[in-house]
Amino acid sequence: MAEVKTLEAPSPRDFKSDLKPVWCPGCGDFSVLGSITTALAELKLRPENVAVISGIGCSSRIPAYTTAYGFHGVHGRALALGTGLKVARPDLTVLVTGGDGDGFSIGGNHFLHACRRNIDLTYIVMDNRVYGMTKGQPSPTTEPDWDSALAPGGTGLRPFHPLVIALASGANFVARGFSGDLAGSARLIVAAIEHPGFSFVEILSPCVTFRPDERQWKTMVHAATVAPTGDPARAARRIMTDDGFTTGILYRGDRRPFEAVRGAGESVDPAALEAAFAL
Ligand SMILES: Cc1ncc(C[n+]2csc(CCOP(=O)(O)OP(=O)(O)O)c2C)c(N)n1
Ligand code: SF4
């Protein structure tokens, strides 16, 4: 994490904007917002040293609800924006937030390469296994037999496994949280921000409107009983063979982040850059 000035005694309220979230009552994203603001306060960061970047979706509204710098970008491009920002401004703490549709469908390619590049940012996905904002289409993480008006009988398609794909692609930190455990998810976000390189935190966050069945997740989640491993193959095996509801830090790697490999803070004169591209 880049060194920044800190607030004396910050509270999560310092990171909450005056905008009232428009999420449906009971949506898991309320708690994820609480976990993010709690984590930022815990780290004693200042809002002006933090940027929250998103794409489009209910979950992608997060930047507007924080006092940090924010960018509500286009659907699926949040990681591209976050990557560019972090490379240009390594002093900022960059959080990228969004949903499983935004991150794994249209944004899937960016996800692979953000893991591979291992830039020092934290990617928080509110996984509700559905496209909430566009009224309930199945997403890449939807179960194959989830029956709905838009996919009668289910898609029959094998779900995408984001945590394992993150590991295979080179993410340096992999964790899973649950929105119903605000404090637990805040601890995961703190650890993710503190860990150098690309940190991926999947937070299971029920869409109570289009997936009311996900209200049951609170009875299904359980904390990991083993310490996080630094061996990606072992972490992948554990994640592939669990029930999908294990929470906690599941992998902590020691790959050198992009900044350490490339050298941070090297600036380019914009006029020289412009001249180089002049036709
Ligand atoms: C280029 C483009 N394609 C499609 C859309 C329509 N769209 C908006 S949000 C969304 C999916 C949202 O699902 P997810 O990212 O899982 O977020 P959630 O709403 O569930 O939090 C889609 C397909 C769009 N806005 N832009
Ligand atoms: S549609 Fe679903 S994801 Fe969107 S605000 Fe409502 S409950 Fe949350």
Side-chain angles (χ1 to χ4, degrees):
M1 189 177 59
E3 206 176 311
V4 292
K5 279 188 267 167
T6 57
L7 287 173
E8 279 309 310
S11 97
R13 274 194 309 278
D14 292 314
F15 294 93
K16 278 205 176 112
S17 76
D18 294 336
L19 279 183
K20 200 169 151 0
V22 295
W23 294 313
C24 310
C27 175
D29 296 350
F30 283 100
S31 303
V32 179
L33 174 62
S35 298
I36 291 172
T37 56
T38 301
L40 295 174
E42 174 76 26
L43 288 165
K44 296 190 168 58
L45 292 168
R46 300 176 70 95
E48 64 268 31
N49 294 130
V50 179
V52 187
I53 310 294
S54 71
I56 299 290
C58 299
S59 42
S60 290
R61 293 181 182 273
I62 290 267
Y65 304 141
T66 79
T67 52
Y69 284 112
F71 198 105
H72 193 186
V74 285
H75 191 41
R77 306 292 178 240
L79 280 170
L81 286 164
T83 298
L85 177 63
K86 184 66 188 182
V87 171
R89 287 287 308 273
D91 56 306
L92 291 178
T93 295
V94 178
L95 307 185
V96 179
T97 59
D100 39 295
D102 189 79
F104 310 141
S105 282
I106 191 167
N109 189 40
H110 294 297
F111 178 51
L112 301 182
H113 294 285
C115 295
R116 182 173 73 88
R117 291 191 181 106
N118 197 26
I119 287 164
D120 188 19
L121 48 83
T122 297
Y123 185 35
I124 301 165
V125 172
M126 283 145 269
D127 193 348
N128 55 17
R129 302 185 183 170
V130 74
Y131 291 2
M133 179 169 266
T134 47
K135 302 201 180 301
Q137 298 88 351
S139 86
T141 52
T142 303
E143 304 83 338
D145 57 352
W146 180 63
D147 185 38
S148 69
L150 293 171
T155 61
L157 298 172
R158 183 191 165 99
F160 189 92
H161 211 317
L163 296 169
V164 175
I165 289 169
L167 281 168
S169 309
N172 216 24
F173 177 102
V174 169
R176 186 192 282 126
F178 172 52
S179 62
D181 178 11
L182 190 155
S185 297
R187 282 193 296 274
L188 295 179
I189 295 168
V190 167
I193 293 174
E194 286 182 327
H195 196 78
F198 185 84
S199 298
F200 174 48
V201 184
E202 175 195 54
I203 304 187
L204 301 172
S205 178
C207 172
V208 293
T209 298
F210 296 106
R211 298 288 314 251
D213 52 307
E214 292 175 348
R215 288 180 188 273
Q216 291 312 311
W217 280 356
K218 61 177 178 292
T219 65
M220 297 159 77
V221 289
H222 52 90
T225 52
V226 289
T229 171
D231 175 352
R234 176 173 293 180
R237 203 163 36 247
R238 283 180 184 162
I239 295 167
M240 286 293 280
T241 53
D242 81 1
D243 59 0
F245 290 94
T246 307
T247 59
I249 300 171
L250 306 172
Y251 171 75
R252 271 183 207 271
D254 60 3
R255 278 179 71 213
R256 287 203 308 155
F258 178 84
E259 291 83 350
V261 176
R262 296 283 304 160
E266 287 166 22
S267 58
V268 178
D269 174 14
L273 199 60
E274 220 168 280
F277 284 94
L279 295 174

